Amino acid sequence: MCGQVINPPGRRPPDLRPEPELGGCRWELCRRAPQPGQPSPAPAHPGPGRTRRVPAMAAPSRLLIRGGRVVNDDFSEVADVLVEDGVVRALGHDLLPPGGAPVGLRVLDAAGKLVLPGGIDTHTHMEFPFMDSRSIDDFHQGTKAALAGGTTMIIDFAIPQKGGSLIEAFETWRSWADPKVCCDYSLHVAVTWWSDQVREEMKILVQDKGVNSFKMFMAYKDLYMVRDLELYAAFSQCKEIGAIAQVHAENGDLIAEGAKKMLALGITGPEGHELCRPEAVEAEATLRAITIASAVNCPLYIVHVMSKSAAKVIADARRDGKVVYGEPIAASLGTDGTHYWNKEWHHAAHHVMGPPLRPDPSTPDFLMNLLANGPCGSGLPRRTCPPFMRITMVMSLWSILLTRGFLLHICCDDLTTTGTDNCTFNTCQKALGKDDFTKIPNGVNGVEDRMSVIWEKGVHSGKMDENRFVAVTSTNAAKIFNLYPRKGRIAVGSDADIVIWDPKATRTISAKTHHQAVNFNIFEGMVCHGVPLVTISRGKVVYEAGVFSVTAGDGKFIPRKPFAEYIYKRIKQRDQTCTPTPVERAPYKGEVATLKSRVTKEDATVGTRKQAHP
């Protein structure tokens, strides 16, 4: 049955795109250093999009990326990058030894190209059992597609059913992923109910399993949704164990009632999906989650920010000093919800996701503007401490800045990271909801196209520079989820997760040529400047000129430690300096009223008698 069977690693369903025509690459970026007196061998590729089977020992243990512009989140420089045993060993000029490359060193000529940290997709759902189906991109096909797009690590979600064990869910997802992944990965774990068992399992997952992030759903009523008191308890435990809390922010009760209303009106098509969950239900839940997290002093991460309203709530909260991070996704940055009104049902259905894309066509541009804003000095706590403390802190900072001659560039880092919420379903799976939009499996693609879409809409458009691009596609995620500087940076000692990027090359996105298993692409026909030419995962060239050199299981699970300094430095400081303290005063020695032990019959009738008219 369509969508019920996950394809074995390395195989594609027969109804997907045809294999591209064979042909050589149009550029020569890479070469293996020849021995003295020998000519350089001509590259031999089996064709774009194909996988070259390479024996494990065939990959050289050393790489030299030569002459490219190395881009990190804070600066760029032209430099060589030497890679040994999967990590960066040196950066500098003229690292190629005199007399040519020694045996075992492969030289990649990156002159005129950018050398970027591999992308980190913070939000995927590979082979996710959901809404009576299972997402068609499994951990093998999905991570291969990620590599083709310049992403070298994903963070997926282990999601237990209500009443289920978090640890068992984690182990289940590990059993699915470990034999299949082609790039490194980690796991968030969802909290879908609350009990002492859940509290204890969260602690075990952090201490023993390498998890430092937990997601709570405020939507999907009766399936995953948790209530405010459960959020408060989960946020409190996250703070106690040094994790970051994540939320899917939508008002599940309003959505459920809105869906009933739409169906009663005879609206059964995909447009009903957006109509029953408008911007207001996303913005309300976003503000509510931030309010609850702030009450606990727990860092909060809002997944898949889809609307202008929710983004404004996050931006205002960050300006107000809240430790909250917003994650727009490739879909919300690259397209919009007008597709729900498309006359072709399958086209409209393929855009159904939760929260939905917004029909306001200005939304992607608005979100990109907020994402493009870099770090700033406006993150001072303006309402988290008493007024006199806020004034003292602000005056002290300005005094330092002015006396030392610094110019403070005010911008707001309003939105911080980017994911994809990649959760793909083929047309026949979407058709489960052909007569009822509430039964359309929610999810869209993006894991392969995220980097190019953000470069096109952000960098090529002039909204952000190459350094901010690295920050929002890789570095910020590494810092928030405590992977930095192992991931998210090109530096000595960092994992050699590297992409050689051509900012001038273009590609046209299409389901006919993408590497994902799904038979539709929401970015169909988009021309993107910015193309990954070579993807390197832990020192191994895994994708080059359209050719894969990777096998299932090459990727590894990356454990993450709690109390990420990037987010918890502020949390700990506020616990020390902003915790309320009692006012010292003399004890009250006056008269105290005596409470009656029981309510009299006369007291019970007070306020219930009708007032006589004059």
Side-chain angles (χ1 to χ4, degrees), residues 145-340:
L147 291 171
T151 289
T152 55
M153 182 174 180
I154 65 167
I155 311 181
D156 209 89
F157 290 83
I159 304 180
Q161 298 297 315
K162 279 189 179 293
S165 166
L166 276 64
I167 294 175
E168 289 181 7
F170 173 82
E171 297 296 350
T172 296
W173 258 260
R174 285 289 307 269
S175 71
W176 293 343
D178 285 351
K180 296 180 180 180
V181 286
C182 297
C183 70
D184 288 351
Y185 82 104
S186 196
L187 289 172
H188 312 291
V189 177
V191 173
T192 57
W193 63 296
W194 189 253
S195 70
D196 289 340
Q197 174 190 335
V198 173
R199 186 195 311 273
E200 183 62 23
E201 289 193 337
M202 290 173 69
K203 183 178 179 180
I204 293 170
L205 285 165
V206 167
Q207 291 180 345
D208 301 335
K209 304 292 185 178
V211 174
N212 69 4
S213 48
F214 294 91
K215 177 182 179 181
M216 280 61 73
F217 291 87
M218 302 172 76
Y220 298 116
K221 187 177 180 180
D222 300 325
L223 179 62
Y224 299 134
M225 178 175 151
V226 294
R227 300 287 179 177
D228 287 1
L229 285 178
E230 295 171 310
L231 283 176
Y232 186 93
F235 290 175
S236 298
Q237 179 66 349
C238 281
K239 181 190 173 185
E240 178 70 21
I241 60 182
I244 184 167
Q246 301 172 292
V247 291
H248 173 135
E250 288 184 287
N251 187 312
D253 288 319
L254 292 183
I255 291 170
E257 295 305 311
K260 294 176 186 176
K261 180 179 179 181
M262 292 303 114
L263 292 172
L265 291 172
I267 300 174
T268 62
E271 69 277 11
H273 178 75
E274 202 284 332
L275 291 171
C276 77
R277 49 210 307 162
E279 284 198 27
V281 304
E282 184 186 357
E284 183 276 332
T286 301
L287 178 58
R288 182 157 41 100
I290 292 172
T291 302
I292 296 171
S294 180
V296 180
N297 193 23
C298 172
L300 183 65
Y301 184 97
I302 310 293
V303 303
H304 48 40
V305 178
M306 303 301 292
S307 67
K308 294 162 69 173
S309 301
K312 288 176 183 176
V313 169
I314 295 168
D316 288 345
R318 288 183 61 80
R319 288 184 173 92
D320 204 30
K322 303 296 191 296
V323 185
V324 58
Y325 305 95
E327 172 204 80
I329 61 174
S332 62
L333 295 166
T335 187
D336 60 57
T338 56
H339 295 278
Y340 295 130

Side-chain angles (χ1 to χ4, degrees), residues 542-554:
V542 291
Y543 181 78
E544 175 185 352
V547 180
F548 291 99
S549 298
V550 67
T551 57
D554 281 355

Side-chain angles (χ1 to χ4, degrees), residues 333-355:
L333 295 166
T335 187
D336 60 57
T338 56
H339 295 278
Y340 295 130
W341 282 263
N342 190 282
K343 293 294 185 180
E344 293 289 339
W345 184 91
H346 84 279
H347 179 99
H350 270 291
H351 289 78
V352 168
M353 64 168 297

